[in-house]
Amino acid sequence: MAVRLLEGVRVVEFALLEAGGVGTVLADLGADVVKVERPGGGDYIRQVGWPFVNGVSLMHHHLGRGKRSLALDIQRPEGARLAARLVEASDVVIEGMRPGVLARRGLGSAELRERHPALVWCTVSGYGTTGPYAGLAAHGVAFDAWAGGLRLGTDERGFASAELNVPLGTRVAPLLAASAILAAVLRAARTGRGCAIDIAQAEAAASVDWLTIEGHRAHLRPATEVTGNPSDGGVRREPGTAGMGDSVRYQVYPSADGHVLIMATERKFWERFCHAVERPDLLGDTPGGEVADHALGDHRLRAELTEIFRTRDTAGWIRLGLTADVPIAPVNSPATLPADPHFAARTPWLPAAEYGADLLPLPVHLEDEELARPSPAATPGQHTDEVLTSLGVPASELAELRESGVLG
């Protein structure tokens, strides 16, 4: 049975580019998300990024799904009044522009929340609404650069370069914002009191890497107070995954056709692995600590494991992990992941025939139910008449507004 967990919740989205991801999460969960766009081209996310599918950016196909599009010129007084009317009939507003843009048009949080006390208002911006960078222009990778997520280097021509596997700020902020919005909606339902939420994409990037950031902070304290893990001899390593470099039992190894990651840092897992590969001799006199023993710096053992892992393909090592109860994972890339059998079993693509491009669904699974599928991304203003008619705007007024250019 297909369900909409947020059925009956109306969200108004004033957002550009990836800030619209907040509305995508809520739409995937069943909310009625109305995206207010400027007449004409609408949100220019349709023209940015790559690749383009049938002339439209893949980013729009993904982030625009599940939403209705209202083409409305909020710079015009008539348009601003209609937008305010829509907000007053809604539960949530997503402001995904530079702070202050809506306020200058009489559509600010303070003014509209005074008229609608239960309204939940969520502002999503690069650096937040306060602080010295609040007004600084930026795009997505800036937030990961701010949070310390770029790996800096030099290319073959001597130019500075940077690597980033996944831009976390713009990807995590929608999940963080959606969680806060839903908590606020629950409170508003109980008390009638909404709130204003301020989410910075830069801080979202930092929050994901909390262990590394907090680890560096901890290392500012004396070594007598903050050490490494005692199971590894107590030596301080680089915080976070940067400290994995000299690990042995928690390490990536080449398989016969790719790579696998073994994580046998508990003694029970290491013993099971050694017996499963018929190499009990590897236990030797040092079977490892009970937990968190990475065999740090044991290069002889690492060389042995390198040869062992080359003897089977990745699928074979996963079978061994399942049968012997050893934590072994395949190392995929974004290109190879769809061929992984576990991905195929749990991730039904939203198909290109319906959505314009093959899209990943929201990874939320329900027992005995399933989330209703979102609608494809809208063309600019596709639902203008539908949305405004539901507010009681008569057809004659719609025609006049369209003629004057207020509507798209």
Side-chain angles (χ1 to χ4, degrees):
M1 183 175 66
V3 297
R4 300 183 182 277
L5 296 180
L6 293 179
E7 188 166 9
V9 175
R10 175 177 281 176
V11 179
V12 182
E13 177 186 296
F14 301 95
L16 296 172
L17 304 176
E18 289 191 81
V22 181
T24 307
V25 173
L26 299 176
D28 280 352
L29 292 172
D32 175 19
V33 179
V34 177
K35 183 177 181 69
V36 179
E37 306 188 79
R38 61 180 175 81
D43 184 350
Y44 68 100
I45 194 171
R46 294 174 175 87
Q47 286 85 48
V48 302
W50 60 85
F52 273 47
V53 183
N54 293 322
V56 177
S57 172
L58 176 59
M59 294 180 72
H60 171 65
H61 286 297
H62 183 97
L63 294 172
R65 72 188 190 207
K67 304 173 186 178
R68 296 194 286 168
S69 173
L70 167 62
L72 182 64
D73 187 354
I74 62 173
Q75 298 186 66
R76 304 269 291 273
E78 309 96 303
R81 285 194 293 270
L82 280 174
R85 188 170 166 183
L86 176 62
V87 168
E88 290 172 16
S90 303
D91 303 287
V92 178
V93 169
I94 300 168
E95 179 185 19
M97 304 176 181
R98 285 203 207 181
V101 169
L102 293 180
R104 290 195 295 273
R105 290 157 176 77
L107 296 170
S109 168
E111 182 175 344
L112 293 181
R113 288 176 57 234
E114 184 176 352
R115 291 152 61 177
H116 183 0
L119 183 66
V120 174
W121 188 286
C122 183
T123 298
V124 180
S125 60
Y127 297 103
T129 60
T130 62
Y133 296 172
L136 182 62
H139 281 304
V141 175
F143 314 132
D144 300 280
W146 178 87
L150 291 186
R151 292 185 300 278
L152 301 177
T154 304
D155 68 13
E156 66 278 2
R157 293 166 295 183
F159 296 128
S161 64
E163 293 183 8
L164 180 67
N165 286 341
V166 180
L168 296 177
T170 55
R171 304 298 194 269
V172 174
L175 303 177
L176 181 62
S179 298
I181 287 169
L182 297 180
V185 167
L186 286 174
R187 189 184 74 166
R190 292 195 314 270
T191 68
R193 181 162 59 97
C195 66
I197 301 166
D198 175 10
I199 300 290
Q201 292 160 305
E203 291 169 350
S207 72
V208 178
D209 200 22
W210 60 267
L211 183 60
T212 306
I213 296 170
E214 292 173 11
H216 281 289
R217 180 78 171 181
H219 281 183
L220 296 177
R221 298 172 62 182
T224 53
E225 295 180 20
V226 180
T227 69
N229 192 308
S231 295
D232 287 332
V235 177
R236 283 192 182 191
R237 300 200 223 175
E238 281 292 303
T241 55
M244 279 182 57
D246 220 18
S247 292
V248 176
R249 293 177 186 153
Y250 198 126
Q251 189 57 264
V252 171
Y253 291 93
S255 67
D257 62 350
H259 288 81
V260 294
L261 171 68
I262 184 171
M263 299 155 283
T265 55
E266 294 92 339
R267 181 185 297 154
K268 64 180 181 181
F269 288 137
W270 177 239
E271 290 177 346
R272 290 171 191 169
F273 174 79
C274 292
H275 288 295
V277 297
E278 300 180 348
R279 289 293 305 273
D281 58 294
L282 294 180
L283 292 170
D285 297 326
T286 55
E290 185 176 348
V291 297
D293 191 331
H294 294 231
L296 193 66
D298 189 338
H299 301 301
R300 180 197 61 80
L301 178 58
R302 192 167 178 178
E304 290 271 13
L305 291 176
T306 297
E307 295 306 313
I308 289 171
F309 277 107
R310 285 197 176 109
T311 63
R312 307 185 192 204
D313 62 14
T314 298
W317 285 115
I318 300 305
R319 286 194 296 272
L320 182 142
L322 288 167
T323 57
D325 191 20
V326 176
I328 299 175
V331 178
N332 290 310
S333 72
T336 65
L337 178 59
D340 185 284
H342 191 75
F343 179 98
R346 287 181 58 87
T347 310
W349 288 95
L350 301 176
E354 183 177 353
Y355 290 88
D358 292 318
L359 306 178
L360 292 176
L362 187 72
V364 173
H365 303 270
L366 305 178
E367 186 174 339
D368 301 326
E369 297 176 306
E370 63 181 29
L371 292 177
R373 284 170 39 153
S375 58
T379 56
Q382 180 178 337
H383 306 96
T384 298
D385 289 9
E386 178 183 300
V387 172
L388 294 181
T389 299
S390 72
L391 296 177
V393 180
S396 58
E397 185 177 347
L398 290 176
E400 292 175 5
L401 290 168
R402 182 163 283 112
E403 180 68 24
S404 68
V406 174
L407 301 183

